[in-house]
Amino acid sequence: SQQGEEDPQALSIQEGENATMNCSYKTSINNLQWYRQNSGRGLVHLILIRSNEREKHSGRLRVTLDTSKKSSSLLITASRAADTASYFCATDGRGWNNNDMRFGAGTRLTVKP
Amino acid sequence: EAQVTQNPRYLITVTGKKLTVTCSQNMNHEYMSWYRQDPGLGLRQIYYSMNVEVTDKGDVPEGYKVSRKEKRNFPLILESPSPNQTSLYFCASSHKGGGYTFGSGTRLTVV
């Protein structure tokens, strides 16, 4: 079964605005990962956040994790047209530390120039 | 260059004709997985391997087989393909506790 569920399913913003995507999951995790996919291509790993971390940054990306609410958010600041893509969260769905990652259905982000 | 290589990229086949999609990684990763991606359903895991000779079913294993005889290779076998296996397939690999590196995908059409 899918472990992570992203929200919203689709998001459309103007270039320069911030984009926030959310992910909820059901069982305990060891780590949560965010990926980007450009249309029909392979997924690209963005950030990994471990269960004992609350926030992580990478360039214009900021990820937060709230294990009490079983949720995570991905913030893209000062978005660019090139950020247009689908974004997926993934969790190690069985709760074991074995990197068996399960993905949600994704958020489709459109950044208008 | 560190990468996951899938072949073929595109394949059209007929119902019942056995096929194999190959996957190879050059990063000495222990973990490898196969996913299928269908519109509106995201990525669903087919099979998963923690290391050589260790494989486990994912969420949608029916109609698929895998093997992990060498660390670098993780082929996906469809013994008797059916139209409902028409999909975009991805192979991915990782070290324990690390992010996955994905292949470029195989678009399979079964007619």
Side-chain angles (χ1 to χ4, degrees):
Chain A
S1 60
Q2 289 179 321
Q3 168 72 320
E5 293 185 7
E6 293 88 347
D7 172 64
Q9 291 185 336
L11 180 61
S12 182
I13 60 174
Q14 293 293 135
E15 206 165 29
E17 294 179 340
N18 295 341
T20 299
M21 289 159 271
N22 303 297
C23 171
S24 60
Y25 57 91
K26 298 172 184 173
T27 62
S28 61
I29 62 171
N30 293 291
N31 71 71
L32 184 145
Q33 304 176 20
W34 284 92
Y35 291 78
R36 183 188 71 229
Q37 182 185 35
N38 291 96
S39 183
R41 307 184 75 170
L43 281 72
V44 174
H45 180 254
L46 298 175
I47 286 186
L48 182 155
I49 186 165
R50 303 198 186 281
S51 59
N52 61 353
E53 297 175 311
R54 291 297 167 259
E55 188 171 310
K56 211 162 184 181
H57 297 255
S58 177
R60 294 183 296 110
L61 306 181
R62 172 179 170 247
V63 168
T64 60
L65 179 64
D66 187 335
T67 53
S68 66
K69 295 181 179 179
K70 292 187 170 57
S71 68
S72 173
S73 67
L74 170 67
L75 169 68
I76 304 174
T77 60
S79 63
R80 306 167 182 168
D83 294 327
T84 294
S86 291
Y87 292 82
F88 295 86
C89 70
T91 56
D92 46 355
R94 304 187 196 198
W96 306 339
N97 190 21
N98 61 10
N99 230 36
D100 174 16
M101 306 306 294
R102 308 300 178 91
F103 290 77
T107 292
R108 174 69 189 170
L109 173 66
T110 302
V111 181
K112 301 175 184 176
Chain B
E1 180 187 354
Q3 59 185 357
V4 175
T5 303
Q6 288 179 235
N7 281 297
R9 290 292 309 277
Y10 301 92
L11 179 61
I12 301 174
T13 190
V14 296
T15 298
K17 185 178 181 181
K18 180 179 178 180
L19 67 92
T20 299
V21 183
T22 63
C23 174
S24 180
Q25 50 96 3
N26 62 0
M27 296 163 282
N28 202 37
H29 284 165
E30 304 86 25
Y31 296 84
M32 297 187 76
S33 277
W34 275 103
Y35 296 91
R36 61 178 287 175
Q37 185 174 31
D38 302 287
L41 297 178
L43 280 85
R44 294 179 292 169
Q45 188 186 65
I46 304 170
Y47 266 97
Y48 167 70
S49 172
M50 292 176 64
N51 216 320
V52 175
E53 301 291 3
V54 182
T55 63
D56 203 358
K57 295 178 180 178
D59 294 320
V60 288
E62 295 77 21
Y64 305 94
K65 286 175 58 177
V66 293
S67 67
R68 187 93 183 271
K69 297 177 182 175
E70 305 165 285
K71 198 171 188 178
R72 62 183 294 126
N73 295 323
F74 192 42
L76 179 69
I77 302 159
L78 284 72
E79 294 271 4
S80 183
S82 62
N84 64 12
Q85 293 179 297
T86 292
S87 187
L88 178 58
Y89 291 86
F90 288 103
C91 179
S93 71
S94 77
H95 282 306
K96 182 177 180 178
Y100 269 102
T101 299
F102 275 76
S104 298
T106 295
R107 190 168 292 279
L108 172 66
T109 301
V110 183
V111 299

